[in-house]
Amino acid sequence: MNTFLEILESRLLAALTRAGIEQPAGFPVKVVAASDVRHGDYQANTAMALAKRLKMNPRELATQVIEALDVDDIAELEIAGPGFINFRIKPAAWSQKVGQMINDSRLGVGVVADPQNIVVDFSAPNVAKPMHVGHIRSTIIGDSLSRISRFLGHNVTTDNHIGDWGTQFGMVIYGWKNLIDIAAIEADPLQELLRLYRAVNLLCKEDEPIKDQCRDELVKLQNGDVENFAIWEKCVEVSKVGLNKIYDRLDVSFDHWLGESFYNKELEPLVKALETAGLARESDGALCVFSGEELPPKQDPFKEKRDGEWSDFPMIVRKGDGAFNYATTDIATVDYRLKQWNADKIWYVVDARQSLHFQQLFDVSKRLGCKADLEHVSFGTILGKDGKPLKTRDGDLPQLADVLDDAVKSARAVLEEKSGHLPELEKEELAKMIGLGSVKFTELSHHRSSDYIFDLEKMVALQGDTAPYLQYSFVRVCAIFRKLDEEISFDADGIQISDEGEINLARALTQFGEVLPTVLDGLKPNILSNYLLDLAKAFHSFFEACPVLKSEGEVRKSRLVLCELTGRVLQQGLGLLGIQVPERM
RNA sequence: GCUCCCUUAGCUCAGCUGGAUAGAGCAACGGAUUUCUAAUCCGUAGGUCACAGGUUCGAGUCCUGUAGGGAGUACCA
């Protein structure tokens, strides 16, 4: 089933041909949703742009176009302003489209013509430390982009590239050997690991010799020391259990958990190969990759301006002490993903502060022959109420688990107030759905590249542009069908869309298939979030203005179909954001 | 110093790759419930899109500059 957008675009293209109007190569012939419904439902601005290129009068050109334009079956046409071509969809066409949609399990969303193998790298917490609130962005954005890409027909592989081999293990092992509380590690391993990490971190800041000992423990681990390796394995094991608890609550899952340690064996040969290929050479005791000298210095991630001169800014792939770092692992990881998963695209859902690292990584990978499209899906920083970034190493960040608890608790309180009569068990489930939904929706309704202030009260606010507003729309749909005492067949027969409220809702519904694919244009889930808010608003207005059960005949049936579709689109759309819908609340 | 990002209503934010009179939510004010769940709806008010130039039929959006804020800047990830 084609969207109105697709239909109108192809008709427009045909009209240009028929009218003998030549388009310059690569000239976009586009129809877009009207900026204001007063002008219609769709608009084409091509005539104005085209007139400029062809040095014609735009209104005259628009007139020629609409004379050749055949859309009589679906829309009315007008030329407005300097040369806008406006389309107003006819009621019969709305009815027909809604009828098609009710018979379409994909709700009007097409499948991409050229499915890609997409690897999504997201979440990637460090082990031996519980996730804190800062991990929320990568986890939730990455999860929803994965779900959306999959639904659109791409072949998606999700990979949790956990930090299970970093420098922090020197400290953790030192702590394990010297400060461990056996009872605590059995009772709550993750909290005890965190305590150890914090304690040692503190000691290191004050005490140089302890810092050296930590480094020694790390070197021993990396050289295969049996005792340290066993401690490491234990740490990773209990950490994964803790991480999975959070992922279960968030309904997030991964196809793979290939962390840093997975690539250990590849690093030595990789670095050798880099040297042999002439890509890496020694500098100040470290082995470094330098610029490929193919870009102007300003765009070259391996150049930096110091004292007015462009000088080298290399990527270190082996440190002076012989150890490898995350750059090395990341290069190996790209290689693995290309070879094992035949990746066409790799998306790194990682904080914007690492953009320089990714520029270098992508450049090196290209030089190593990587043809895939590598993209840093960067996002802004979560700030404290003082407007400064929440630091990741100060140990004072709210833990993610606590934030989720608070969100659920706050949803529970509102539930008690508004729906105290519901059974205990159901209220508990609802509080989870609403609380976690709120946290996710807060994240996904912001533009990902902007910073935002972490404000729990706002996050779990249950009015306005929030998850509960959307969930409540679904509840209202369900309420109607609960009261409906006869069987209804959802088919296209006799659907009539005519009232303003019905048309507004039908318009919002049919836009689902037009909007969803555009999420992947900029990898921005907030486009879907905003769409769902628009849909919910249209539904609530419809709900107030158009009685469903009290209407009769074709009107009643049409309205029931609109309600059913609203429910399905809300459930599908929210599902793609990882948010569940309740039947009552 | 250099590179990149940000600045839109009192507050929090959208703005679909250059379109028509710049939109939501919160807060404020006024209305709607014998009617399918009022966690809702309808309305009022609120703007020099940081500032100054430029590009053109047309700029919140593109280019240049200025001011303010943030991030990054070789052995952390």
Side-chain angles (χ1 to χ4, degrees):
Chain A
M1 119 181 217
N2 288 318
T3 63
F4 279 135
L5 216 48
E6 289 163 340
I7 296 168
L8 293 174
E9 241 162 49
S10 69
R11 300 276 180 92
L12 181 62
L13 208 57
L16 288 171
T17 313
R18 199 172 304 143
I21 298 164
E22 210 178 312
Q23 316 134 49
F27 190 87
V29 174
K30 271 202 330 192
V31 175
V32 295
S35 56
D36 189 324
V37 285
R38 280 171 297 188
H39 302 126
D41 298 301
Y42 295 90
Q43 65 184 60
N45 308 330
T46 352
M48 289 176 289
L50 197 55
K52 189 198 234 167
R53 290 277 202 99
L54 302 177
K55 301 201 188 338
M56 289 175 68
N57 177 312
R59 268 198 87 103
E60 222 166 84
L61 182 65
T63 310
Q64 283 182 37
V65 172
I66 67 165
E67 271 166 15
L69 192 52
D70 178 20
V71 290
D72 206 41
D73 50 336
I74 50 176
E76 281 161 23
L77 281 170
E78 66 164 12
I79 299 177
F84 295 102
I85 299 175
N86 291 333
F87 302 87
R88 187 174 297 280
I89 301 296
K90 294 177 176 176
W94 286 125
S95 307
Q96 195 200 4
K97 184 60 69 183
V98 166
Q100 286 172 7
M101 216 172 151
I102 198 72
N103 286 323
D104 180 8
S105 63
R106 292 187 57 84
L107 299 165
V109 180
V111 176
V112 289
D114 54 338
Q116 307 273 298
N117 294 330
I118 303 175
V119 175
V120 189
D121 178 323
F122 68 100
S123 198
N126 283 326
V127 305
K129 284 190 282 182
M131 280 197 271
H132 55 74
V133 63
H135 290 110
I136 223 173
R137 301 205 74 173
S138 175
T139 306
I140 293 185
I141 294 171
D143 179 56
S144 106
L145 287 176
S146 305
R147 289 172 190 256
I148 293 167
S149 312
R150 227 169 235 153
F151 183 66
L152 289 172
H154 292 294
N155 175 28
V156 176
T157 305
T158 53
D159 186 13
N160 194 6
H161 190 68
I162 53 173
D164 60 358
W165 199 253
T167 323
Q168 79 268 28
F169 276 101
M171 287 192 255
V172 173
I173 290 173
Y174 176 89
W176 187 287
K177 287 183 177 175
N178 296 286
L179 304 169
I180 199 165
D181 177 340
I182 300 292
I185 200 82
E186 275 165 16
D188 190 345
L190 266 188
Q191 288 306 320
E192 175 63 3
L193 280 179
L194 178 67
R195 189 189 68 84
L196 290 178
Y197 177 82
R198 284 180 176 167
V200 178
N201 199 21
L202 214 61
L203 286 174
C204 283
K205 278 181 186 149
E206 295 161 357
D207 197 334
E208 200 61 32
I210 291 186
K211 208 171 168 180
D212 290 338
Q213 286 185 51
C214 290
R215 198 169 300 135
D216 290 345
E217 296 293 0
L218 182 67
V219 172
K220 276 168 75 181
L221 172 67
Q222 294 185 336
N223 290 337
D225 176 87
V226 174
E227 186 191 3
N228 281 13
F229 192 81
I231 294 174
W232 172 79
E233 270 189 316
K234 186 75 190 159
C235 287
V236 172
E237 187 194 318
V238 301
S239 295
K240 279 188 180 171
V241 172
L243 292 172
N244 268 323
K245 265 191 204 156
I246 301 258
Y247 290 134
D248 283 349
R249 290 183 74 180
L250 289 174
D251 189 22
V252 169
S253 64
F254 301 89
D255 300 317
H256 301 278
W257 286 60
L258 302 183
E260 292 169 346
S261 68
F262 179 79
Y263 300 96
N264 280 341
K265 292 185 297 293
E266 318 295 331
L267 303 184
E268 190 75 56
L270 169 70
V271 166
K272 283 242 163 65
L274 284 170
E275 263 184 303
T276 318
L279 287 178
R281 63 172 195 270
E282 216 173 283
S283 169
D284 291 342
L287 191 72
C288 304
V289 175
F290 287 86
S291 168
E293 306 292 352
E294 283 176 355
L295 292 166
K298 200 175 165 179
Q299 286 150 36
D300 192 331
F302 298 87
K303 296 283 185 185
E304 185 192 31
K305 202 169 193 177
R306 269 193 304 259
D307 305 325
E309 296 275 315
W310 288 104
S311 43
D312 286 320
F313 177 72
M315 182 190 214
I316 293 175
V317 293
R318 193 180 61 212
K319 301 191 284 184
D321 64 4
F324 302 116
N325 60 6
Y326 73 123
T328 334
T329 316
D330 278 358
I331 297 171
T333 305
V334 171
D335 189 57
Y336 181 88
R337 289 169 175 169
L338 294 176
K339 288 187 178 140
Q340 294 297 313
W341 300 333
N342 200 17
D344 298 312
K345 293 174 187 286
I346 306 176
W347 294 341
Y348 293 86
V349 188
V350 180
D351 193 306
R353 285 176 287 189
Q354 292 189 38
S355 75
L356 186 54
H357 163 68
F358 284 109
Q359 283 177 46
Q360 292 191 326
L361 173 66
F362 297 168
D363 188 279
V364 171
S365 299
K366 293 256 143 75
R367 278 192 261 163
L368 286 170
C370 165
K371 296 277 189 291
D373 173 28
L374 308 178
E375 185 151 5
H376 179 195
V377 184
S378 68
F379 52 82
T381 310
I382 296 190
L383 307 172
K385 283 196 178 147
D386 55 357
K388 290 188 180 142
L390 288 165
K391 282 260 167 88
T392 48
R393 293 259 164 128
D394 62 11
D396 288 324
L397 281 178
Q399 287 186 24
L400 186 47
D402 295 337
V403 170
L404 300 183
D405 287 345
D406 287 346
V408 172
K409 226 179 283 172
S410 135
R412 176 68 202 231
V414 177
L415 216 43
E416 211 57 67
E417 183 195 320
K418 306 249 182 198
S419 311
H421 60 282
L422 294 174
E424 265 325 279
L425 219 67
E426 187 174 348
K427 277 190 282 191
E428 221 166 90
E429 283 306 306
L430 283 170
K432 280 186 209 164
M433 230 182 256
I434 295 167
L436 298 177
S438 298
V439 172
K440 287 189 176 188
F441 194 77
T442 301
E443 177 59 58
L444 294 171
S445 57
H446 284 86
H447 186 114
R448 64 175 162 80
S449 75
S450 55
D451 297 346
Y452 72 84
I453 292 173
F454 176 76
D455 183 339
L456 186 66
E457 278 174 40
K458 277 216 175 105
M459 206 173 253
V460 300
L462 304 178
Q463 292 148 5
D465 285 350
T466 61
Y469 178 81
L470 299 172
Q471 290 167 323
Y472 183 61
S473 326
F474 186 80
V475 164
R476 284 181 127 181
V477 170
C478 292
I480 288 174
F481 286 109
R482 210 178 296 124
K483 288 262 165 89
L484 181 71
D485 41 19
E486 82 262 11
E487 288 291 311
I488 174 184
S489 64
F490 293 118
D491 54 49
D493 294 337
I495 293 178
Q496 274 197 15
I497 309 290
S498 53
D499 275 20
E500 193 188 349
E502 294 167 350
I503 289 178
N504 286 338
L505 182 54
R507 182 189 301 111
L509 286 167
T510 56
Q511 278 172 351
F512 187 49
E514 299 171 353
V515 170
L516 192 61
T518 68
V519 171
L520 296 191
D521 290 348
L523 304 179
K524 295 191 305 185
N526 70 313
I527 289 180
L528 176 56
S529 306
N530 292 336
Y531 162 76
L532 290 171
L533 286 171
D534 287 342
L535 172 63
K537 276 172 206 160
F539 175 72
H540 283 303
S541 296
F542 162 88
F543 187 92
E544 305 278 344
C546 306
V548 178
L549 296 178
K550 290 210 165 145
S551 56
E552 289 173 357
E554 290 189 332
V555 172
R556 179 175 148 110
K557 174 178 174 170
S558 303
R559 290 180 178 177
L560 281 168
V561 166
L562 286 172
C563 289
E564 172 67 17
L565 276 176
T566 303
R568 288 188 198 171
V569 172
L570 281 171
Q571 185 163 29
Q572 179 65 256
L574 285 169
L576 293 173
L577 298 176
I579 297 171
Q580 297 178 314
V581 285
E583 291 188 4
R584 53 179 185 171
M585 64 193 268

